[in-house]
Amino acid sequence: MAQNAWICCEDRLPENGQRVLGVVPGNEVLLPGKASFEIRDVLVLRFMENFFAAQADKANVHGRHFWSGEGASNQYFEAVTHWMPVPEAPPAPLSDQE
């Protein structure tokens, strides 16, 4: 698989608890210091498998799974269309002391 390939949620889901980048088309975010919303289609999310399994009423409306977001960016399962693993951080720069 290509390094930055988006995976369709209909094709495959992340592992339970996996931290991913998720696509939420048209996602509106109110940023600090701004009086209006901005569209941010890509969010950092954690996949929560069977999150609503014990709550049949919510599972029927929103699906069994859930996307836990960082900050206030939680998303119901159907809101996310694609995902990819969060890429590795670049290596730390070598210090001048070494």
Side-chain angles (χ1 to χ4, degrees):
M1 177 187 325
Q3 172 117 6
N4 292 319
W6 289 101
I7 302 164
C8 180
C9 291
E10 292 180 8
D11 295 339
R12 184 166 56 103
L13 294 173
E15 296 293 321
N16 186 36
Q18 183 177 355
R19 194 167 172 251
V20 301
L21 297 178
V23 176
V24 182
N27 182 59
E28 292 183 337
V29 176
L30 182 60
L31 299 174
K34 301 243 180 178
S36 60
F37 289 91
E38 290 185 14
I39 301 296
R40 297 287 173 100
D41 293 326
V42 177
L43 303 172
V44 177
L45 301 167
R46 188 173 305 274
F47 180 66
M48 308 300 287
E49 186 175 28
N50 295 318
F51 186 81
F52 290 124
Q55 301 174 35
D57 56 334
K58 286 193 177 185
N60 288 337
V61 174
H62 304 294
R64 300 190 318 267
H65 310 307
F66 188 71
W67 302 93
S68 176
E70 296 183 347
S73 61
N74 291 337
Q75 300 292 324
Y76 287 116
F77 180 68
E78 68 275 359
V80 179
T81 62
H82 294 76
W83 66 275
M84 74 165 63
V86 173
E88 296 280 329
L94 296 175
S95 70
D96 294 332
Q97 305 297 325
E98 293 181 23

